[in-house]
Amino acid sequence: MTCAPYIVRGARGGLRYGAASLEDALDRDALICAFDEVSMGEATDRYVQGTDLDRAGQDAFAARSHELAAAALKRRGRGVGAAALCGGGGQGNALIIRR
């Protein structure tokens, strides 16, 4: 998420006279539910209503997913690698896992 761009609507086709606004791609695309246009957290809370899924279960699933990803990165010599997608200025490098 460190490398998420800003969006300038209409810039590709050329902007005319006047102000143009920047939109944060994280806020517009990454952290907003595409179906309901609310935050992902709010959307998840809506979708799990009436199920046996709760926040603690979701957090445990996410934590396990991160543990597995970290373990895979430690085994780089066995076909798993990581490469920076962008650099500089951020709090860390974006990573991609390749098979």
Side-chain angles (χ1 to χ4, degrees):
M1 291 192 208
T2 301
C3 300
Y6 285 90
I7 300 167
V8 181
R9 298 202 186 271
R12 190 172 309 272
L15 295 171
R16 302 294 180 238
Y17 178 78
S21 62
L22 294 175
E23 294 179 61
D24 189 338
L26 281 178
D27 184 47
R28 187 65 236 139
D29 290 336
L31 301 177
I32 299 292
C33 173
F35 301 108
D36 293 333
E37 294 190 12
V38 297
S39 73
M40 293 297 237
E42 183 180 343
T44 301
D45 289 344
R46 282 184 191 179
Y47 302 149
V48 299
Q49 287 179 358
T51 72
D52 61 349
L53 297 172
D54 61 5
R55 176 63 63 187
Q58 294 172 51
D59 289 346
F61 183 91
R64 178 69 178 140
S65 177
H66 285 278
E67 289 171 6
L68 293 171
L73 287 173
K74 286 182 181 178
R75 295 189 312 266
R76 287 185 199 188
R78 294 189 225 159
V80 176
L85 297 177
C86 67
Q91 294 180 7
N93 289 324
L95 300 176
I96 185 169
I97 296 173
R98 298 180 188 193
R99 292 180 183 212

